[in-house]
Amino acid sequence: MLNWYLQTGKDSDVVIASKITFARNLSHFNFYIKEDEKIQKLENLVKEKLLQLGYELKFVKLSEIDELTLQELIEKGLIPDKVIQNKKQKSILLNDEENICIVINDEDHLQLQVFASGFELDAVTNLCIEIDEKIQTLFKISQNRKYGYLTSCPTNVGTGAKLSTILHLAGLTKTNNIQNVIRFARQFGIEMTKMQNPDIYSIPLFLNN
C-alpha cells in the first residue's frame, strides 16, 4: 500500500493531512527518563511486546539512522525537529505505510500518532483508539480516576489527545487575508501554526480535555 502522504483523501486538495496524537506513560517509570539504564529498560519492554501490538510496526532507534533519513522523518511530520537534540535517548515504532508512528521517550513515554491524507478525522481517531486499547492490554498506563491519563505536562492531563489538520491556504496567503483568519481563530482559542511552507498551516481541532 502507498504511504499515507501519497494517497488522496477527502478534500485533500486543501486538507493535506489529518493527525491525532495520544500521550501515554507507563506507570512504573518516572516521567522524563534521562538515565541510560532506564531508557534501555523502557525500549526493551516495548520491543518485547511489539509483535503482540501488530500493525507491522518496526522498532527504530533514532541514533542508529543516518542524518538524511532523520531529516526525512522530520519533514514528513513523524517526529518533531527538537528530537535531534537528544536522539540517543529516543526511538520510534513505525509501519511501512508511515501512517502510524509511536515516539518512545520524548515528552512522554509513548506518543501514539496516526496520520491520514485529507479530511479523515474519524478514520485517524478510530485507528488511534484501537491501537491505544491494545497498548493498554500490554502495558500498565499511568492514569487517575479523577484526572484521567497522567502526562509529563499538566496541560495534557486528561485524555492526553490532540487532533489537528494541516491545511494548504495559498489563496488566503496570496491575498494577505491569512492574518485576519489567524486573529479570528484566536478568539475561539485556536492557534494556527505556520509550517515550513508559508502557505501551509497546522490547525488544532481538538486539544486535551
Side-chain angles (χ1 to χ4, degrees):
M1 184 176 289
L2 290 174
N3 294 65
W4 72 267
Y5 44 81
L6 298 177
Q7 299 174 25
T8 300
K10 180 182 178 183
D11 299 324
S12 58
D13 57 330
V14 176
V15 185
I16 297 174
S18 298
K19 173 186 176 182
I20 190 167
T21 302
F22 282 2
R24 297 292 183 258
N25 289 278
L26 278 58
S27 60
H28 47 293
F29 286 91
N30 295 331
F31 294 133
Y32 286 118
I33 303 174
K34 299 298 181 183
E35 302 86 350
D36 290 342
E37 181 179 347
K38 292 183 179 180
I39 292 170
Q40 190 62 55
K41 185 177 180 180
L42 174 63
E43 289 180 351
N44 290 342
L45 181 60
V46 172
K47 286 190 287 187
E48 179 185 334
K49 305 289 186 179
L50 183 56
L51 291 179
Q52 297 178 58
L53 188 56
Y55 306 99
E56 298 183 344
L57 292 166
K58 300 177 179 64
F59 178 86
V60 179
K61 195 165 180 64
L62 296 184
S63 61
E64 295 178 356
I65 60 178
D66 59 81
E67 291 299 323
L68 180 58
T69 304
L70 193 62
Q71 190 60 41
E72 285 182 1
L73 293 174
I74 293 172
E75 291 179 358
K76 292 172 183 177
L78 298 173
I79 60 174
D81 53 7
K82 62 182 177 62
V83 164
I84 296 179
Q85 300 171 3
N86 297 296
K87 64 179 182 179
K88 291 183 178 180
Q89 300 179 339
K90 307 184 192 309
S91 49
I92 60 173
L93 301 180
L94 185 66
N95 65 343
D96 289 338
E97 193 178 340
E98 296 185 341
N99 67 314
I100 302 172
C101 181
I102 302 175
V103 181
I104 303 170
N105 198 40
D106 191 25
E107 292 182 359
D108 295 282
H109 298 152
L110 302 174
Q111 287 186 320
L112 169 56
Q113 305 172 103
V114 175
F115 306 81
S117 173
F119 196 67
E120 301 288 355
L121 302 182
D122 287 343
V124 295
T125 300
N126 291 337
L127 179 55
C128 201
I129 291 173
E130 177 183 298
I131 300 170
D132 184 48
E133 289 176 346
K134 289 189 177 184
I135 285 176
Q136 296 197 52
T137 65
L138 300 174
F139 304 100
K140 187 175 180 181
I141 302 298
S142 296
Q143 52 189 301
N144 180 276
R145 181 175 297 180
K146 179 178 180 181
Y147 298 109
Y149 293 104
L150 304 179
T151 56
S152 60
C153 179
T155 59
N156 291 331
V157 170
T159 63
K162 294 182 180 179
L163 179 62
S164 63
T165 56
I166 298 176
L167 306 182
H168 187 207
L169 303 176
L172 291 172
T173 302
K174 302 304 181 187
T175 58
N176 297 318
N177 285 313
I178 189 66
Q179 292 304 321
N180 293 330
V181 174
I182 292 174
R183 284 193 292 270
F184 183 76
R186 284 175 180 164
Q187 295 178 19
F188 295 92
I190 299 174
E191 284 292 335
M192 298 171 57
T193 304
K194 184 189 294 185
M195 309 296 282
Q196 290 182 338
N197 185 318
D199 296 340
I200 297 177
Y201 287 79
S202 174
I203 303 178
L205 300 177
F206 170 78
L207 297 176
N208 182 65
N209 190 358

